[in-house]
Coordinates of all heavy atoms in Angstrom, one line a residue:
M1 N 139.9 52.7 67.7 CA 140.0 53.0 69.2 C 139.3 51.8 69.9 O 138.2 51.3 69.5 CB 139.2 54.3 69.5 CG 139.2 54.6 70.9 SD 138.6 56.2 71.2 CE 137.3 55.9 72.3
D2 N 139.9 51.3 70.9 CA 139.3 50.2 71.7 C 138.2 50.7 72.5 O 138.2 51.8 73.0 CB 140.4 49.5 72.6 CG 141.5 48.8 71.8 OD1 141.1 48.3 70.7 OD2 142.6 48.7 72.2
A3 N 137.2 49.8 72.7 CA 136.1 50.2 73.6 C 136.6 50.3 75.0 O 137.5 49.6 75.5 CB 135.0 49.1 73.4
L4 N 135.9 51.2 75.8 CA 136.3 51.3 77.2 C 135.7 50.1 78.0 O 134.7 49.6 77.6 CB 135.6 52.6 77.8 CG 136.1 53.9 77.3 CD1 135.3 55.0 77.9 CD2 137.6 54.1 77.8
P5 N 136.4 49.7 79.0 CA 135.9 48.6 79.9 C 134.6 49.2 80.5 O 134.4 50.4 80.7 CB 136.9 48.4 80.9 CG 138.2 49.0 80.4 CD 137.8 50.1 79.4
A6 N 133.7 48.2 80.7 CA 132.3 48.6 81.2 C 132.4 49.5 82.5 O 131.7 50.5 82.5 CB 131.5 47.4 81.5
H7 N 133.2 49.2 83.4 CA 133.3 50.0 84.7 C 133.8 51.4 84.4 O 133.3 52.3 85.1 CB 134.1 49.3 85.8 CG 135.6 49.2 85.5 ND1 136.1 48.3 84.6 CD2 136.6 50.0 86.0 CE1 137.4 48.5 84.6 NE2 137.7 49.5 85.4
I8 N 134.6 51.6 83.5 CA 135.1 53.0 83.2 C 134.0 53.7 82.4 O 133.7 54.9 82.7 CB 136.4 52.9 82.3 CG1 137.5 52.2 83.0 CG2 136.8 54.3 81.8 CD1 138.0 52.9 84.3
W9 N 133.4 53.1 81.4 CA 132.3 53.7 80.7 C 131.2 54.1 81.6 O 130.7 55.2 81.5 CB 131.8 52.7 79.6 CG 130.9 53.3 78.6 CD1 131.2 53.6 77.3 CD2 129.5 53.5 78.7 NE1 130.1 54.1 76.6 CE2 129.0 54.0 77.5 CE3 128.6 53.4 79.7 CZ2 127.7 54.4 77.2 CZ3 127.2 53.8 79.5 CH2 126.8 54.3 78.3
I10 N 130.8 53.2 82.5 CA 129.7 53.5 83.5 C 130.1 54.7 84.4 O 129.3 55.6 84.6 CB 129.3 52.3 84.3 CG1 128.7 51.2 83.3 CG2 128.4 52.6 85.5 CD1 128.5 49.9 83.9
A11 N 131.3 54.7 84.9 CA 131.7 55.8 85.8 C 131.7 57.1 85.1 O 131.3 58.1 85.6 CB 133.1 55.5 86.4
A12 N 132.2 57.1 83.8 CA 132.3 58.4 83.1 C 130.9 58.8 82.7 O 130.6 60.0 82.8 CB 133.1 58.1 81.8
C13 N 130.0 57.9 82.4 CA 128.6 58.3 82.1 C 127.9 58.8 83.3 O 127.2 59.8 83.2 CB 127.9 57.1 81.5 SG 126.2 57.4 80.9
A14 N 128.1 58.2 84.4 CA 127.5 58.7 85.7 C 128.0 60.1 86.0 O 127.2 60.9 86.5 CB 127.8 57.7 86.8
H15 N 129.3 60.3 85.8 CA 129.8 61.7 86.0 C 129.1 62.7 85.1 O 128.8 63.8 85.6 CB 131.3 61.7 85.8 CG 131.9 63.0 85.9 ND1 132.1 63.6 87.2 CD2 132.4 63.9 85.0 CE1 132.7 64.8 87.0 NE2 132.8 65.0 85.7
Q16 N 128.9 62.3 83.9 CA 128.2 63.2 83.0 C 126.8 63.5 83.4 O 126.3 64.6 83.3 CB 128.3 62.7 81.5 CG 127.8 63.6 80.5 CD 128.6 64.9 80.4 OE1 129.8 64.9 80.6 NE2 128.0 66.0 80.0
L17 N 126.1 62.4 83.8 CA 124.7 62.6 84.3 C 124.7 63.5 85.5 O 123.8 64.3 85.7 CB 124.1 61.2 84.6 CG 123.9 60.3 83.5 CD1 123.6 58.9 84.0 CD2 122.8 60.8 82.6
Q18 N 125.7 63.4 86.4 CA 125.8 64.3 87.6 C 125.9 65.7 87.2 O 125.4 66.6 88.0 CB 126.9 63.8 88.5 CG 126.8 64.5 89.8 CD 127.9 63.9 90.8 OE1 129.0 63.6 90.4 NE2 127.5 63.9 92.1
Q19 N 126.4 66.0 86.1 CA 126.5 67.4 85.6 C 125.1 68.0 85.5 O 124.9 69.2 85.6 CB 127.3 67.6 84.3 CG 128.8 67.1 84.5 CD 129.5 67.7 85.6 OE1 129.6 69.0 85.7 NE2 130.0 66.9 86.5
Q20 N 124.2 67.2 85.1 CA 122.8 67.6 84.9 C 122.0 67.6 86.2 O 121.2 68.4 86.5 CB 122.1 66.8 83.8 CG 120.6 67.1 83.6 CD 120.4 68.4 82.9 OE1 121.3 68.9 82.2 NE2 119.3 69.0 83.2
W21 N 122.2 66.5 87.0 CA 121.5 66.2 88.2 C 122.4 66.2 89.4 O 122.7 65.1 89.9 CB 120.7 64.9 88.1 CG 119.6 65.0 87.1 CD1 118.8 66.0 86.8 CD2 119.2 63.9 86.3 NE1 117.8 65.7 85.9 CE2 118.1 64.4 85.5 CE3 119.6 62.6 86.1 CZ2 117.4 63.6 84.6 CZ3 118.9 61.8 85.1 CH2 117.9 62.3 84.4
R22 N 122.8 67.3 89.9 CA 123.8 67.4 91.0 C 123.2 66.9 92.3 O 124.0 66.5 93.2 CB 124.3 68.8 91.1 CG 125.1 69.2 89.9 CD 125.8 70.6 90.2 NE 126.5 71.1 89.0 CZ 127.7 70.7 88.7 NH1 128.4 69.9 89.5 NH2 128.3 71.2 87.6
T23 N 121.9 66.9 92.5 CA 121.3 66.5 93.8 C 121.0 65.0 93.9 O 120.6 64.6 94.9 CB 120.1 67.4 94.1 OG1 119.1 67.1 93.0 CG2 120.4 68.8 94.2
V24 N 121.1 64.3 92.7 CA 120.8 62.9 92.7 C 121.9 62.1 93.3 O 123.1 62.4 93.1 CB 120.5 62.4 91.3 CG1 120.2 60.9 91.3 CG2 119.3 63.1 90.7
D25 N 121.6 61.1 94.1 CA 122.6 60.3 94.8 C 123.5 59.6 93.7 O 123.1 59.1 92.7 CB 121.9 59.2 95.5 CG 122.8 58.2 96.3 OD1 124.0 58.2 96.0 OD2 122.3 57.5 97.2
P26 N 124.9 59.8 93.9 CA 125.8 59.2 92.9 C 125.6 57.7 92.6 O 125.9 57.2 91.5 CB 127.2 59.5 93.5 CG 126.9 60.7 94.3 CD 125.5 60.6 94.9
V27 N 125.2 57.0 93.7 CA 125.0 55.6 93.5 C 123.8 55.3 92.5 O 123.9 54.4 91.7 CB 124.7 54.9 94.9 CG1 124.3 53.4 94.7 CG2 125.9 55.0 95.7
Q28 N 122.8 56.1 92.6 CA 121.7 56.0 91.7 C 122.1 56.4 90.3 O 121.7 55.7 89.3 CB 120.5 56.9 92.1 CG 119.8 56.4 93.3 CD 118.7 57.4 93.7 OE1 118.9 58.6 93.8 NE2 117.5 56.8 93.8
L29 N 123.0 57.3 90.1 CA 123.5 57.7 88.8 C 124.3 56.6 88.2 O 124.3 56.3 87.0 CB 124.2 59.0 88.9 CG 123.4 60.3 89.2 CD1 124.3 61.5 89.4 CD2 122.3 60.5 88.2
E30 N 125.1 55.9 89.1 CA 125.9 54.8 88.6 C 125.0 53.7 88.1 O 125.2 53.0 87.1 CB 126.8 54.2 89.7 CG 128.0 55.1 90.0 CD 129.3 54.5 89.5 OE1 129.3 53.3 89.1 OE2 130.3 55.2 89.4
D31 N 123.9 53.4 88.9 CA 122.9 52.4 88.5 C 122.3 52.8 87.1 O 122.1 51.9 86.2 CB 121.8 52.3 89.5 CG 122.3 51.6 90.8 OD1 123.4 51.0 90.8 OD2 121.6 51.7 91.8
L32 N 121.9 54.0 87.0 CA 121.3 54.5 85.7 C 122.4 54.4 84.6 O 122.0 53.9 83.5 CB 120.9 56.0 85.8 CG 120.4 56.6 84.6 CD1 119.3 55.8 83.9 CD2 120.0 58.1 84.8
A33 N 123.6 54.7 84.8 CA 124.6 54.6 83.8 C 124.8 53.1 83.4 O 125.0 52.8 82.2 CB 125.9 55.2 84.3
G34 N 124.7 52.2 84.4 CA 124.8 50.8 84.1 C 123.6 50.4 83.2 O 123.8 49.6 82.2
D35 N 122.4 50.9 83.4 CA 121.3 50.7 82.5 C 121.6 51.2 81.1 O 121.2 50.5 80.1 CB 120.0 51.3 83.1 CG 119.5 50.6 84.3 OD1 119.9 49.5 84.6 OD2 118.7 51.3 85.0
L36 N 122.1 52.4 81.0 CA 122.4 52.9 79.7 C 123.5 52.1 79.0 O 123.4 51.8 77.8 CB 122.9 54.4 79.8 CG 122.0 55.4 80.4 CD1 122.6 56.8 80.4 CD2 120.6 55.3 79.8
W37 N 124.5 51.6 79.7 CA 125.5 50.7 79.1 C 124.9 49.4 78.6 O 125.3 48.9 77.6 CB 126.6 50.4 80.2 CG 127.7 49.6 79.6 CD1 128.8 50.1 78.9 CD2 127.8 48.2 79.6 NE1 129.6 49.0 78.5 CE2 129.0 47.8 78.9 CE3 127.1 47.1 80.2 CZ2 129.5 46.5 78.8 CZ3 127.5 45.8 80.0 CH2 128.7 45.6 79.3
R38 N 123.8 48.9 79.2 CA 123.2 47.7 78.7 C 122.4 47.9 77.5 O 122.0 47.0 76.8 CB 122.3 47.1 79.9 CG 123.2 46.4 80.9 CD 122.4 45.7 81.9 NE 121.8 46.5 83.0 CZ 122.5 47.1 84.0 NH1 123.8 46.8 84.1 NH2 121.9 47.8 84.9
D39 N 122.1 49.2 77.2 CA 121.4 49.5 75.9 C 122.4 49.5 74.8 O 123.4 50.3 74.7 CB 120.8 50.9 76.0 CG 120.0 51.3 74.8 OD1 120.6 51.3 73.7 OD2 118.8 51.7 74.9
E40 N 122.3 48.5 73.9 CA 123.2 48.3 72.8 C 123.5 49.5 72.0 O 124.7 49.8 71.6 CB 122.7 47.2 71.9 CG 123.8 46.3 71.4 CD 123.2 45.1 70.6 OE1 122.6 44.3 71.2 OE2 123.5 45.1 69.4
R41 N 122.5 50.3 71.7 CA 122.7 51.5 70.9 C 123.5 52.6 71.6 O 124.4 53.2 71.0 CB 121.3 52.1 70.5 CG 121.3 53.4 69.7 CD 120.0 53.9 69.4 NE 119.3 54.3 70.6 CZ 119.4 55.6 71.1 NH1 120.1 56.5 70.5 NH2 118.7 55.9 72.2
L42 N 123.2 52.8 72.9 CA 123.9 53.8 73.7 C 125.4 53.3 74.0 O 126.3 54.2 74.0 CB 123.2 54.1 75.0 CG 121.8 54.8 74.8 CD1 121.1 55.0 76.1 CD2 122.0 56.1 74.1
R43 N 125.6 52.0 74.2 CA 126.9 51.5 74.5 C 127.9 51.8 73.3 O 129.1 51.9 73.6 CB 126.8 50.0 74.8 CG 128.1 49.5 75.3 CD 128.0 48.0 75.8 NE 127.4 47.1 74.9 CZ 126.3 46.4 75.1 NH1 125.6 46.5 76.2 NH2 125.9 45.6 74.1
T44 N 127.4 51.9 72.1 CA 128.3 52.1 71.0 C 128.8 53.5 71.0 O 129.8 53.8 70.3 CB 127.6 51.8 69.6 OG1 126.5 52.7 69.4 CG2 127.1 50.4 69.5
L45 N 128.1 54.4 71.7 CA 128.6 55.8 71.8 C 129.6 55.9 73.0 O 129.7 55.0 73.8 CB 127.4 56.7 72.1 CG 126.2 56.7 71.1 CD1 125.0 57.5 71.7 CD2 126.6 57.1 69.8
G46 N 130.3 57.0 73.0 CA 131.1 57.3 74.2 C 130.2 57.6 75.4 O 129.0 57.9 75.2
P47 N 130.7 57.5 76.6 CA 129.8 57.7 77.7 C 129.3 59.1 77.8 O 128.1 59.3 78.2 CB 130.7 57.4 78.9 CG 132.1 57.4 78.4 CD 132.0 57.1 76.9
D48 N 130.0 60.1 77.4 CA 129.5 61.5 77.5 C 128.4 61.6 76.4 O 127.4 62.2 76.7 CB 130.6 62.5 77.2 CG 131.6 62.6 78.3 OD1 131.4 62.0 79.4 OD2 132.7 63.2 78.1
E49 N 128.6 61.1 75.2 CA 127.6 61.2 74.2 C 126.4 60.4 74.5 O 125.2 60.9 74.3 CB 128.2 60.7 72.9 CG 127.3 60.8 71.7 CD 127.0 62.2 71.2 OE1 127.6 63.2 71.7 OE2 126.1 62.4 70.4
A50 N 126.5 59.3 75.1 CA 125.4 58.4 75.5 C 124.5 59.2 76.5 O 123.3 59.2 76.4 CB 125.8 57.1 76.1
A51 N 125.2 59.8 77.5 CA 124.4 60.6 78.5 C 123.7 61.7 77.9 O 122.5 62.0 78.2 CB 125.4 61.1 79.6
R52 N 124.4 62.4 77.0 CA 123.8 63.6 76.3 C 122.5 63.1 75.5 O 121.5 63.8 75.6 CB 124.8 64.3 75.4 CG 124.2 65.6 74.8 CD 125.1 66.1 73.7 NE 125.2 65.2 72.5 CZ 124.2 65.0 71.6 NH1 123.1 65.6 71.8 NH2 124.4 64.2 70.6
V53 N 122.7 62.0 74.7 CA 121.5 61.5 73.9 C 120.4 61.1 74.8 O 119.2 61.5 74.6 CB 122.0 60.3 73.1 CG1 120.8 59.6 72.5 CG2 122.9 60.8 72.0
W54 N 120.7 60.4 75.9 CA 119.6 60.0 76.8 C 118.9 61.2 77.5 O 117.7 61.2 77.7 CB 120.2 59.0 77.9 CG 119.2 58.4 78.7 CD1 118.4 57.3 78.4 CD2 118.7 58.8 80.0 NE1 117.5 57.0 79.4 CE2 117.7 57.9 80.4 CE3 119.1 59.8 80.9 CZ2 117.1 58.1 81.6 CZ3 118.5 60.0 82.1 CH2 117.5 59.1 82.4
L55 N 119.7 62.2 77.8 CA 119.2 63.4 78.4 C 118.4 64.4 77.5 O 117.7 65.3 78.0 CB 120.3 64.2 79.1 CG 120.8 63.6 80.4 CD1 122.1 64.3 80.8 CD2 119.8 63.7 81.5
E56 N 118.5 64.2 76.2 CA 117.9 65.1 75.2 C 116.5 65.5 75.5 O 116.1 66.6 75.5 CB 118.0 64.6 73.8 CG 119.4 64.9 73.2 CD 119.5 64.3 71.8 OE1 118.6 63.6 71.3 OE2 120.6 64.6 71.2
P57 N 115.6 64.5 75.9 CA 114.2 64.8 76.2 C 114.1 65.8 77.4 O 113.1 66.5 77.5 CB 113.5 63.5 76.4 CG 114.4 62.5 75.7 CD 115.8 63.0 75.8
V58 N 115.0 65.6 78.3 CA 115.0 66.4 79.5 C 115.5 67.8 79.3 O 115.0 68.8 79.8 CB 115.7 65.7 80.7 CG1 115.8 66.6 81.9 CG2 115.2 64.4 80.9
T59 N 116.6 67.9 78.5 CA 117.3 69.2 78.3 C 116.8 70.0 77.1 O 117.1 71.2 77.0 CB 118.8 69.0 78.2 OG1 119.0 68.1 77.1 CG2 119.4 68.4 79.4
A60 N 116.0 69.4 76.2 CA 115.5 70.1 75.1 C 114.4 71.1 75.5 O 113.6 70.8 76.4 CB 114.9 69.1 74.1
R61 N 114.5 72.3 75.0 CA 113.5 73.3 75.3 C 112.9 73.9 74.1 O 113.3 74.1 73.1 CB 114.2 74.4 76.2 CG 114.6 73.8 77.5 CD 115.4 74.8 78.3 NE 116.1 74.0 79.3 CZ 116.1 74.3 80.5 NH1 115.6 75.4 80.9 NH2 116.7 73.6 81.4

């Protein structure tokens, strides 16, 4: 499978982050998703999985 272009990966990741944080400004979520994309380890994951992994400390109970 070919890697997603950065802008698609970032948009999909931001959308996934918004599922957790509905009140956060979408522009801030896009910025955060861009930061996640720049992380080499997270970038190898799909955008949904990267968001889930990054959110684990917040969502773990």
Side-chain angles (χ1 to χ4, degrees):
M1 177 170 128
D2 291 332
L4 291 174
H7 69 282
I8 300 293
W9 192 101
I10 291 168
C13 186
H15 177 75
Q16 188 64 29
L17 292 168
Q18 190 173 34
Q19 300 306 304
Q20 178 68 28
W21 290 324
R22 295 187 183 274
T23 60
V24 175
D25 182 344
V27 173
Q28 289 180 306
L29 294 175
E30 284 254 348
D31 290 344
L32 173 56
D35 290 343
L36 298 183
W37 184 84
R38 285 186 280 285
D39 181 305
E40 218 174 292
R41 181 182 65 89
L42 294 175
R43 187 172 56 238
T44 63
L45 305 173
D48 290 351
E49 180 70 6
R52 188 190 63 73
V53 166
W54 189 82
L55 286 166
E56 278 178 354
V58 176
T59 58
R61 295 175 195 228

